[in-house]
Amino acid sequence: MKQNQNTKVDRQDGKLAMAHFYVAFTALAIGGLAGLLQVLVRSGKFQLPAGIGYYQILTVHGVVLGLVLTTFFIMGFQLAAVSKTAGTLTKKQRTMGWIGFWLMTAGTMMAAVMILLNEASVLYTFYAPLQAHAIYYIGLTFVVVGSWFDGAAIIMKYAEWRRNNPRQPSPLLTFMSLVNTIMWIVATIGVAATVLIQLLPWSLGLVETVNVGVSRTLFWYFGHPLVYFWLLPAYMGWYVVIPRVIGAKIFSDSLARMSFILFLLFSIPVGFHHQLMEPGIDAAWKFLQVILTFLVVIPSLMTAFSLFATFEGFGRSKGATGLFGWLKKLPWGDARFTVPFIGMVAFIPAGAGGIVNASHQMNQVVHNTIWVTGHFHLTVATAVVLTFFGISYWLVPHLTGRVLTKAMNRLAITQGVLWAIGMTFMSGAMHAAGLLGAPRRSSFSEYGGAAQAAEWIPYQVAQAIGGSILFLAIILMLYIFVNLAFMAPKGSEEFPVGETAENAEKTPLVFENWKLWLGITAALILFAYTIPFIDLIQNAPPGSKGYKLW
Ligand code: HAS
């Protein structure tokens, strides 16, 4: 489909997206500082001042980076992408977006205050029986409900576009934003259920106990699609933006849509792969969800295939020869390409690690070790976040009417390279220490004796070195963000939207058949979860009274 490359995101829509980015990058500053403190504490060479607890800092880090930075960035990016490709938001749609933004911001403040008061040191997964102050749960509910308002704006724009353009495939970026939004809404029903039906009444003292198995299962019903909610906007950048940045075409519009639909279908009924070591869930259901997990790997393999095809096709069109000759033809001096590319390279070992995690027997080796922390620092904290940074390098100046100068572009590449070095140390050491059995989510002092800890000290030091380099990279990123938002020279920066290769097949309309896709999604969820939930509720442990959710 032909895109008008010169269309700019409307100024009002740009303000809405930028509001989301201000919160996202403030979260990066706070969460990054908490991360630095954590690796220093884990190295055993530093103690937190003023009675601040390790779990308090860990909660700040996880909530602020894993939930706040991501949700605000993603919603801001998707709103801008929809406005660019499906047209300026109507007043009603924009108002929905603003309501969403303010609800999410209010919720974030509520949760943040509770964490700072040490009333909610329950980590970003807030598993029962850890209990937080009710205001923390209410705050998180506001964040989720706010994101639904943002999502409603995206859905409304898509519906309007389809009405005005019958029997035509929607613009690819709009389609992708819509799929990610639908997946998010379906997934957040799980977390909303555990918070509103279980955790909040329990925290308010209305009930005495909680069915922990049910609450963890509802959390992971949400928790795995959550990681794809982070990933899909990065894939939007890889499929649609990167081809335009390097001067190539999108390999196949249909393949891109197909992979997004597969994520919608298979990302939700797989939460048990986070619970493989837990009692209360029959092994047969775990096995089924492991199979479904391997199915959700397929769209990532399709993405890798498509990206290799785009890069190789482009390189060969420029005269590249040999197996990897195309690598030399890529625009290494352009931060909009190089920084997300580092993310793609990181995603190869990251994905392989995910496959290890999902393999039931191997999960016994790595579960609850710091290997898992290493895994998610390569996935979300490198592949995804570096792509978000790469997007910011052109999107922020596009929205603020400024340009990415040569000096900022150089600094941005330095930022990406520093990130790669820091993360190689930090995540590499986490993977290695995890294989030696080092636990995750625990501070140095809780390792159970110096002799045991001694084995892991070199790895803790490597993590501290890596974490400190990463913190430098965060400072650079924040500096570049402030420059692009407020100081860079005025001008016009392109919003790059790729076009499909001329010889690609026509996109079939079946991808827009939501009755079909939502129907299959619902059927798979019901199949994978109904009986296990009945089991968990009927066979709740002794001590649960009356209604077995508590
Ligand atoms: Fe995961 C735990 C399985 C992907 C995030 N994961 C986590 C946790 C997080 C997380 C946050 O089965 C911890 C949760 C907690 O707090 O407990 N994960 C997987 C699998 C995948 C996977 C099978 N995870 C992700 C992504 C994440 C993420 C994406 C965030 C964005 N994960 C697990 C499991 C656990 C888990 C278990 C529980 C562990 C436990 O025991 O607790 C797959 O989706 C991965 C598929 C990916 C690929 C890679 C494709 C490569 C591409 C790049 C192409 C590169 C190019 C450049 C073209 C198959 C697309 C080429 C250039 C050259 C020069 C070569």
Side-chain angles (χ1 to χ4, degrees), residues 371-396:
W371 160 286
V372 176
T373 319
H375 164 69
F376 68 70
H377 278 86
L378 277 188
T379 49
V380 62
T382 305
V384 168
V385 149
L386 279 188
T387 306
F388 288 0
F389 292 171
I391 289 171
S392 310
Y393 295 145
W394 52 263
L395 183 53
V396 172

Side-chain angles (χ1 to χ4, degrees), residues 49-61:
I52 301 172
Y54 176 76
Y55 291 108
Q56 198 177 351
I57 291 288
L58 187 54
T59 306
V60 173
H61 182 70

Side-chain angles (χ1 to χ4, degrees), residues 124-125 127 220 224 227-228 230-231 235 238 263 273-274 276 293 296-297 300-301 303-304 307-308 311 324 326-327 341 344-345 347-348 350-359 363 366-368 372 375-376 379-380 384 440-441:
Y124 88 107
T125 39
Y127 284 155
W220 286 119
H224 201 71
V227 313
Y228 294 124
W230 300 333
L231 180 70
Y235 275 12
W238 296 359
F263 275 114
H273 72 223
H274 293 264
L276 292 174
T293 305
V296 83
V297 171
S300 284
L301 295 176
T303 306
L307 292 169
F308 273 112
F311 293 148
F324 286 108
W326 49 269
L327 270 171
F341 189 88
M344 290 178 204
V345 174
F347 199 47
I348 296 175
I355 293 170
V356 167
N357 296 345
S359 309
N363 188 269
V366 297
H367 180 66
N368 263 342
V372 176
H375 164 69
F376 68 70
T379 49
V380 62
V384 168
R440 74 181 275 201
R441 301 192 189 103

Side-chain angles (χ1 to χ4, degrees), residues 30 34 81 92 113 214 255 275 415 464 479 517-518:
I30 300 169
K92 195 166 158 201
V113 168
V214 169
L255 182 143
Q275 299 174 277
Q415 182 275 324
Y479 173 70
W517 304 125
L518 285 173

